[in-house]
Amino acid sequence: TITSIPENVSESGTITLKKFGIGNLTFDQSTSKSDTYFGYAPPRMDANPAMELRLRRSDTLKYTSQEIESSLVGEAVEMVIYVNDVPYPIDVRSLGEEDNGIYSVHVPIQEGSIKANRLISLRFEVNGLKRKNPCLSNNENRWVYLSEDSYFTFQDGESMNEETLASYPYPFSD
């Protein structure tokens, strides 16, 4: 006889970068691009996808008061996140509030960019770390750090109602 019924454990709508095999990444003048990483979205979790990034940046990337007061703002530095080859740029120099040097950035992902097979390709690139003007200080100490604690968030969706092998856990699909 069955004495208890197991609880139905629902899939979490959060996937950390660790699950993609991504560790902490540091971008600088010599390393401006990451490899491409692959992972799967949870089944039936395809509504309102977003990324929550945990970033650090060097102090040399902050706007100085002199740059803010003049119209001659220095070179732009942007991080571009490619989710299934769709680019999502972030202006690194104008990041807002920080918590102990860590910036939290919310990046909404275009609905429909996660396909029915739930496969997500993920790549990062930082542009503007290498200065082109030799009259300015050198390129040293210009870096952006991406924490492995960054994550994707998903909400329950209805567009993946069809049951396929991709809807089942690891032994069947991944």
Side-chain angles (χ1 to χ4, degrees):
T1 64
I2 299 175
T3 57
S4 66
I5 298 174
E7 281 187 42
N8 184 10
V9 179
S10 63
E11 285 277 338
S12 169
T14 302
I15 304 174
T16 62
L17 293 188
K18 290 178 193 177
K19 289 190 178 181
F20 280 86
I22 303 173
N24 296 324
L25 297 173
T26 302
F27 300 95
D28 56 21
Q29 66 198 15
S30 61
T31 308
S32 63
K33 296 179 182 181
S34 74
D35 292 333
T36 301
Y37 299 92
F38 297 92
Y40 287 95
R44 291 174 297 282
M45 298 260 183
D46 63 335
N48 302 323
M51 283 194 78
E52 293 291 332
L53 298 178
R54 304 288 185 248
L55 300 173
R56 292 184 107 119
R57 67 177 179 192
S58 62
D59 284 338
T60 57
L61 292 180
K62 294 180 182 175
Y63 285 118
T64 64
S65 59
Q66 190 177 30
E67 286 177 317
I68 292 170
E69 291 171 5
S70 72
S71 62
L72 299 173
V73 176
E75 298 161 346
V77 177
E78 73 174 355
M79 172 179 265
V80 183
I81 302 112
Y82 293 91
V83 178
N84 290 344
D85 293 324
V86 177
Y88 298 93
I90 298 169
D91 184 356
V92 174
R93 295 193 76 190
S94 65
L95 292 175
E97 295 289 316
E98 64 179 296
D99 181 25
N100 288 335
I102 298 175
Y103 298 89
S104 293
V105 180
H106 178 80
V107 180
I109 305 299
Q110 177 182 347
E111 291 225 23
S113 62
I114 311 295
K115 304 296 181 206
N117 68 357
R118 304 179 0 252
L119 182 64
I120 300 171
S121 68
L122 190 57
R123 180 170 49 99
F124 301 93
E125 185 176 326
V126 179
N127 302 312
L129 291 175
K130 194 171 194 175
R131 289 190 166 165
K132 296 178 178 119
N133 186 346
C135 296
L136 296 174
S137 65
N138 61 17
N139 295 319
E140 293 179 21
N141 298 323
R142 291 173 58 99
W143 51 265
V144 176
Y145 171 85
L146 175 64
S147 173
E148 65 186 6
D149 295 329
S150 302
Y151 56 91
F152 268 102
T153 59
F154 298 92
Q155 295 176 359
D156 282 331
E158 296 182 14
S159 66
M160 291 186 194
N161 288 343
E162 184 179 321
E163 294 290 329
T164 65
L165 284 180
S167 302
Y168 292 94
Y170 165 71
F172 302 102
S173 65
D174 293 340

